[in-house]
Amino acid sequence: MAYNIAVLPGDGIGPEVMAQALKVLKVVEEKFNFKCNLTEGLIGGIAYDAAGHPLPEETKELCLKSDAIFLGSIGGPKWDNLPPELTPELGGLLAIRKLLKLYANIRPAVIYEELKEMSPLSARVLNKKVDFVTVRELAHGVYFGQPKGLTEDEGFDTMIYRRENVEQIAKAAFDLAMKRDKRVTSVDKANVLSSSKLWRKVVEEVAKDYPEVTLNHQYVDNAAMQLMLNPLQYDVILTTNLFGDILSDESAAICGSLGMLPSASYGEKISLYEPSGGSAPDIAGKDIANPIAQILSLAMMLESSFSEDEAAQEIRNAVDKAVKSGKRTGDIACGGPSIKCSEMGDVICNFIKEA
Ligand code: NAD
């Protein structure tokens, strides 16, 4: 079985962390006996420099004929002042999300016991490993609803959800919960917003197809507070585009470093996997970035797009072992000794080989 993967390293630390994840991929391919055909493409500032556009036609074609997209990161100060449609963010990242019709953004948030001191939350709150996932609706809601308008005296947006949008994202969340602790917390503002009243009703209907999953609801203001007070209560958080935008950043903040957090964006046919953080221009080119977010994004791709669950779990185990063994890149070293990005890649590969 061969999987076709578009590899888009992008800008800043993207190529450095991508190289480590591809090392890991090679090791699991051999160990678990599957094959990936990797084709590299250009995206972001580097694509603008080489081809005059942050998402060149060639990259679009490559993506559309691939089984999954493995992205590094895009952007940097060099390209900040381009016309908006040519910036890596709008012309590259948002454009590829549109191209692939990505509808769900999945962001795990994990606080490892050994890295508790990285979290701004107190040890009293973190008395166990925090491990939950936010499932954010990505293609509808107030960011896309029509009409929208802006005059000198008035600005307005439309928050709209249709039944089918909610069904699609709710199924993604319940399916994920079935592979985890079978608990979904749906976050809305159903005490005030009509779109949230529909959201809640449809989520409850979808829940009937998943009798093993426990569903509860929280209003978004309460959820923002509960994430700080007791993140241990969550398994899967299911929420709208706007609320998920905010809550998934809050959950990244309580984890300490962006360098540890992977993400997936599901499309109807082709899904995209990338670290939660950006191109980190402040540390790019020095071989000091943390490759774990990219490596855990690889695990998500192997599991979600290719059902290579054993390989994905082995990668996660190896990351756990690397963290337990005390190996740290600068972002998680808390001032202590640190290793290079490439060394962390080697450490994780070795734990996989030894397992
Ligand atoms: P950023 O996520 O790049 O960096 C924020 C902080 O986190 C920095 O101090 C950085 O060094 C650190 N960090 C991030 N990833 C790390 C890693 N793997 N290892 C160690 N430290 C890490 O966010 P920013 O500085 O706001 O943005 C920089 C550029 O990235 C901008 O051009 C922005 O538009 C772009 N960006 C891209 C994406 C993406 O590609 N999906 C997402 C967010 C931001």
Side-chain angles (χ1 to χ4, degrees), residues 13 73-76 89 93 258-259 274 277-283 289-290 331:
I13 60 167
S73 49
I74 55 88
E89 289 79 3
L93 199 56
L258 277 170
E274 60 173 330
S279 61
D282 51 335
I283 56 166
N290 189 342
D331 57 315

Side-chain angles (χ1 to χ4, degrees), residues 13 28 61-62 64 98 122 141 153 157 161 182 199 232 236 239 245 249 330 345:
I13 60 167
V28 290
E61 281 165 27
L62 166 66
L64 290 174
K98 238 187 198 167
S122 79
D153 304 310
D157 301 280
Y161 273 107
K182 301 189 172 64
W199 176 278
L232 289 166
V236 174
T239 192
D245 193 1
D249 271 18

Side-chain angles (χ1 to χ4, degrees), residues 119-182:
S119 171
L121 300 186
S122 79
R124 182 179 55 78
V125 172
L126 303 176
N127 55 13
K128 272 200 329 218
K129 182 179 178 183
V130 173
D131 184 352
F132 65 90
V133 183
T134 304
V135 176
R136 167 189 170 196
E137 195 286 315
L138 203 58
H140 305 91
V142 74
Y143 293 165
F144 299 99
Q146 292 293 340
K148 285 178 178 295
L150 178 64
T151 66
E152 271 305 301
D153 304 310
E154 195 179 59
F156 63 93
D157 301 280
T158 302
M159 189 185 267
I160 180 164
Y161 273 107
R162 295 184 196 288
R163 166 174 290 277
E164 59 269 26
N165 315 144
V166 187
E167 279 170 354
Q168 185 180 45
I169 189 76
K171 280 182 191 152
F174 281 93
D175 285 341
L176 190 62
M178 285 298 290
K179 295 187 181 171
R180 296 175 48 96
D181 201 34
K182 301 189 172 64

